[in-house]
Amino acid sequence: MPLVVQKYGGSSVATVENLRGVAGRVAARRRAGDDVVVVVSAMGQTTDELLELARRVSPAPPRRELDMLLSAGERIAMALLAMALHEEGVDAKSFTGSQAGILTDEAHAAARIVEVRPVRVREELGRGRVVIVAGYQGVSREKEVTTLGRGGSDTTAVALAAALGADCEIYSDVAGVFTADPRLVPAARRLDGIGYEEMQELARAGAKVLNARAVEFARDRAIAIRARSTFGGPEETVVSARPAAGGVAGVAAAPAVALFELAVRALPAARQAFARHGARELGASSAAGHAALCLSLEDVHAPEALRADLAAAGAAPIEAAGIGALSAVGRGAEEPRVAEAVQEVLLELGAPPLALFVGPLRVTACCAAARLPEAARRLHARLLE
Ligand code: ASP
Ligand code: MG
């Protein structure tokens, strides 16, 4: 029987009505004869609400305890979806990441999947059940609950699809991957296809539609990801080894970044320090022994401690707060006109770039976060309209 892993994001299961809708779709797929594994995210804004709760208790919560807290969001969604499927007359069973055999390293709140042993998932599929797996979480060798970093349910889905030899469909509130976030840039267009590397760079640059590590996983295992809307029709974007048509595939914005300057020789120590805090490198450039380093703070939950550790490693912040990153991604990103367009757009908006990073598939400029939405619209107009 064909086997599919379907992942539904937070907005797809935000309300009880939405959950019922997803159950109806899964039930229809099951009745059509497919074996189905469903990976769910936490309902709506649950993860943000849990993080806010933690912040009210502690400005620097231990990352282990954050994982105990945050993993509860997906656990709620998985159990409710299993109940909704029973109401549809479909036999279903839910599993936590740990029960589903998602084994990770020990990096709390930004863990990497190291192995998938879906023994119980296979058993239940063999009994004719739909299996629901809590996304975004796993278990370490020490039997500690871990989470995979924000947006990590995608990675759960891809990892399970790879381990089970299944197709992978990822459902959200947008009908695939667009040339920019359509909620931000109304002129954005859906891409029929995009290559793994381009998609990884778009995700790193802040595109929310797919998680960067999930795409990395898919690339390493040659899994095609089909990104679709939960609420829409058959439109989709296929993420595979085939690159998108055209030189620039898309534009993305990341609202929460930090920028540091340091001596080039201090880079290794700085990298060790920020990795402990869950920060991700968005760009690094160096000239004459000096380096600039741009970090995404999405999975940082104790920003003051991060700054202190980076200061100890010799990295000083450039501008205190309110920095974002604007990126253009694609095989044409290295053409000088792309970096020029990024800089011109920011100058027009009175938000001159604080740093510019040019890589083979991505140009990223750090700038005032408040200008990002308008900057993304203008950059899209220049490069993609
Ligand atoms: N619920 C988690 C988050 O909001 C994981 C996910 O949605 O993929 O980041
Ligand atoms: Mg979520």
Side-chain angles (χ1 to χ4, degrees), residues 7-11 40-48 51 70 73-74 135-137 148-156 211 298-299:
K7 180 255 168 174
Y8 291 92
S11 56
V40 269
S41 290
M43 295 170 76
Q45 308 302 313
T46 302
T47 307
D48 289 322
L51 272 171
L70 298 181
E74 272 68 13
Y136 174 58
Q137 55 180 269
L148 307 177
R150 298 305 307 269
S153 298
D154 291 348
T155 317
T156 307
N211 176 282
E298 203 181 18
D299 291 319

Side-chain angles (χ1 to χ4, degrees), residues 110 113 124 153 163 217 329:
I113 296 177
E124 296 302 337
S153 298
F217 216 99
V329 172

